[in-house]
Every structure is written in C-alpha cells, then in structure tokens.
Amino acid sequence: MVTMQRPNTPPVRRPAPRQRPKRRQPSFPRRIYDTIRGNVLLRNIVMAFCLGIILYFIINLCLSIYTRHGQKFIVPTLIGHTVAEADAMAAKGELRLEVIDSLYMPKQKPGTILDQSPKPGMGVKSGRRVFLTVNASRPRTDIIPYVTGYSLRQAKNMLETKGFEIEKLVYRSDMATNNVLDQQYEGRSVTQGSRTEAELGSGITLVVGVNHSSPLPRIPKVIGLTLREAKSRLWEVGLNVGRVRHDSGIDDADLDDARVYRQEPNQQSRTDYGGNISLWLTLDTQKIARSSKESDAAARRYAVDEEETESESAPEEETADER
C-alpha cells in the first residue's frame, strides 16, 4: 500500500480579532457646552449674562460718544470782550454762551463781559455752556428798604440783600448802641413809605445810636477777605472802611478777586464806634499768608498787654473804692 505524503504547507494564520477603537472623551469646553445645553435653567442664566455684557459695552460706547469722553477744550478768556467777540472765540470748541446776569460798571464799556464761569484756562468738553455776566448799558434801580429802627446787623443784611451797601456809619448819643436812628441817601432822609429809588450798589448812610457806657468795639480780622467781605464784616461791628489801597497792576476787573493783606489798626485792638479801618489789597497769596501770621502774632501780643494792664489797674481801683 502506497502512502501519500502531504506537501509542506505553511500553517494558516488566523487574523487577529479587531479591537474596537476606544471612545475619545470629549474635551473640557465641550463638556461644559453639553452641560449648559442640556440644562434649561443654566442655559438661560448664561444667555442673560452674555446679553448683559453686550449691553454694557453698547451703553458704554454710546455714553462715550454722547459725552465726548476724552475731548477737552481750554476755555478762552472772554472777560473784557463783547458777546459777539466771545461767540467767535467760543466757536472753536463749540462752546455755548449764556448771559445770566448784568451789572453796571461805569468804567467799562456797555456789553463788555465782566465775569465768566467756568473760569479761563479750565479744560471742558466741547458743547459746554459758559455763563456770562455782562456790563449793562445803564444801572438798574430799586427801592431802598426802610431800615430805621432796626439793629445795625439787621439793617446791613436788609440793604445787602436788596443790592445796596453802607456808605458811612454816623454815630449819635442814644440809650441803645447800634440801633439805627436814621438813614440817608444823597443827604436826604429816607422815610417809611417814601419808596425812594436808587441805583443798585449805591451806598446808604446810617445814623446809629451809641451809649457811651458801652465798651469800645474790638476790630475784627479781615485779612484774607475780599473788599466786599471786609466791608461787611467791619460794618457789622460798627466800623467804617477808611482808605483802600492795592498793589500796582491790579485794575478794576481784578478788584473782586483781590484780598486784604494788611489792615490798620490791627485786629483785636479797640477803637471808637464809627472809626476808620484802612485796607491794603493784593492778589499775592503768599503775601496774604505771611501778613496773616504777622497780624495773628501782633494780636496775641496785644491781648497779653491788655491783660497785664487790666490786672495792674484792678488794685488801684480797689484802693480808690476803699478811700
């Protein structure tokens, strides 16, 4: 029996089983997105937050355009010019001029700008309003208030409220001190019901009573005040304003800004009712500060001397009483 041999054949290799690809994990932003998308409440919160951010930037942009953020224009010096000239000067920055008041200054031309707000040199946005005070062509008038019978302080306040001031205080003997006995304008008495008219800013002479047993008024400190403030402060205690001097270079337009840097007699000393206090004005703030310190030091020395004088005179008075 013949046996057959199989030829040498390579073994059959079975293919390896396929491995399923591993499922890739979604990225972190994707997981956040899926979480927000699947949650209705969270999705609405995120949408509202995003809408708020968008609205914030839109509103901020609109406000910047409307308010002209970052755009500044230096206010020019309009004082001393006419309104027509000021319009041409303000047109560069699109400034709007508005006349809010008028005063009568005899030394200035009618229609001339006397004051402005904001002040020259300030940085403002274009389109800003600039308020002007111009010089009137003729002075305004009003009825002088009747202040006879009032105290000096009340009379002063009533006159200043109506736009008048005190020209001079004249003192006469009376039972009460600083009680107004009469008021005069241009040498004539102003009576109740007379309805006397005068230009605003006019000075009224007040005849005031003084009891000679009353102590003499103590001079207040007016250094650092404007001329108008200094006058009001002196009138309040029964004193007149004497000669007024000012530094060279100060003109009428600067007088409102000038301040007192010297007064004679000095503060805290005493003088008669109706006495005159001389004033010196300047625009130099350093001079004002220096003079103020010197005046305070002199006032302290005067107070010490006054106390020593009173203490020395007291024993003499007691000795005279015993005799």
Side-chain angles (χ1 to χ4, degrees):
M1 180 175 191
V2 180
T3 58
M4 297 182 64
Q5 294 182 354
R6 287 185 180 181
N8 293 329
T9 58
V12 178
R13 295 181 180 179
R14 294 181 180 180
R18 287 187 177 181
Q19 295 182 355
R20 293 182 180 180
K22 293 183 179 180
R23 188 176 180 182
R24 296 180 60 186
Q25 292 294 330
S27 62
F28 180 71
R30 180 70 183 184
R31 291 201 303 270
I32 294 178
Y33 173 76
D34 293 338
T35 302
I36 295 174
R37 186 178 180 185
N39 190 318
V40 177
L41 178 60
L42 189 58
R43 184 172 65 245
N44 290 336
I45 293 175
V46 172
M47 289 178 63
F49 178 75
C50 295
L51 182 60
I53 293 177
I54 295 172
L55 287 175
Y56 170 77
F57 282 104
I58 292 175
I59 293 173
N60 195 31
L61 178 62
C62 292
L63 287 175
S64 298
I65 296 173
Y66 178 75
T67 60
R68 302 176 183 181
H69 181 70
Q71 300 180 13
K72 284 191 176 181
F73 180 78
I74 303 301
V75 179
T77 302
L78 306 178
I79 298 175
H81 296 274
T82 63
V83 176
E85 294 171 345
D87 280 329
M89 297 170 64
K92 298 178 182 179
E94 300 179 0
L95 300 177
R96 294 180 294 171
L97 304 183
E98 183 175 339
V99 179
I100 59 171
D101 196 9
S102 62
L103 300 174
Y104 180 71
M105 302 289 290
K107 298 182 180 180
Q108 299 288 340
K109 295 181 180 179
T112 301
I113 297 173
L114 303 176
D115 193 18
Q116 66 179 89
S117 178
K119 295 295 184 181
M122 292 185 61
V124 299
K125 297 171 184 176
S126 59
R128 169 73 183 270
R129 289 186 181 182
V130 179
F131 301 102
L132 306 176
T133 300
V134 300
N135 190 30
S137 58
R138 58 181 181 178
R140 291 184 296 174
T141 61
D142 202 350
I143 298 174
I144 301 174
Y146 184 71
V147 297
T148 301
Y150 289 91
S151 68
L152 176 59
R153 186 186 296 257
Q154 291 175 313
K156 178 190 74 72
N157 292 336
M158 292 171 65
L159 291 172
E160 290 179 342
T161 300
K162 292 286 284 185
F164 300 98
E165 63 178 26
I166 297 174
E167 181 178 4
K168 187 178 181 181
L169 296 174
V170 179
Y171 277 87
R172 292 179 183 172
S173 297
D174 191 61
M175 295 176 58
T177 298
N178 283 336
N179 183 52
V180 179
L181 306 177
D182 190 19
Q183 62 186 100
Q184 300 173 357
Y185 174 65
E186 294 183 344
R188 294 179 295 178
S189 295
V190 178
T191 59
Q192 189 172 14
S194 62
R195 299 183 64 82
T196 303
E197 290 192 3
E199 298 175 359
L200 294 181
S202 299
I204 310 300
T205 299
L206 298 182
V207 180
V208 191
V210 58
N211 188 329
H212 294 289
S213 62
S214 300
L216 296 178
R218 195 178 292 276
I219 301 173
K221 179 182 179 180
V222 295
I223 293 176
L225 302 182
T226 63
L227 180 58
R228 180 177 296 182
E229 294 169 342
K231 286 181 177 180
S232 180
R233 185 73 184 90
L234 293 172
W235 291 330
E236 197 171 79
V237 297
L239 301 174
N240 286 307
V241 178
R243 186 174 179 181
V244 178
R245 305 174 180 88
H246 54 76
D247 290 350
S248 59
I250 298 179
D251 53 21
D252 293 336
D254 297 326
L255 280 179
D256 290 339
D257 297 325
R259 295 183 178 272
V260 178
Y261 75 91
R262 179 183 171 190
Q263 63 179 92
E264 287 187 3
N266 193 35
Q267 58 166 314
Q268 294 304 311
S269 58
R270 295 183 182 274
T271 187
D272 294 329
Y273 281 98
N276 292 325
I277 310 299
S278 300
L279 304 176
W280 284 259
L281 305 176
T282 185
L283 294 173
D284 189 345
T285 56
Q286 294 182 353
K287 181 185 289 188
I288 295 172
R290 184 169 57 252
S291 298
S292 179
K293 292 181 180 179
E294 295 174 354
S295 176
D296 292 341
R300 287 191 293 267
R301 290 193 299 269
Y302 179 85
V304 172
D305 294 341
E306 190 177 38
E307 290 180 0
E308 292 177 353
T309 302
E310 290 178 355
S311 61
E312 291 175 357
S313 61
E316 296 178 359
E317 293 178 357
E318 292 177 358
T319 304
D321 293 339
E322 291 176 356
R323 292 177 181 176

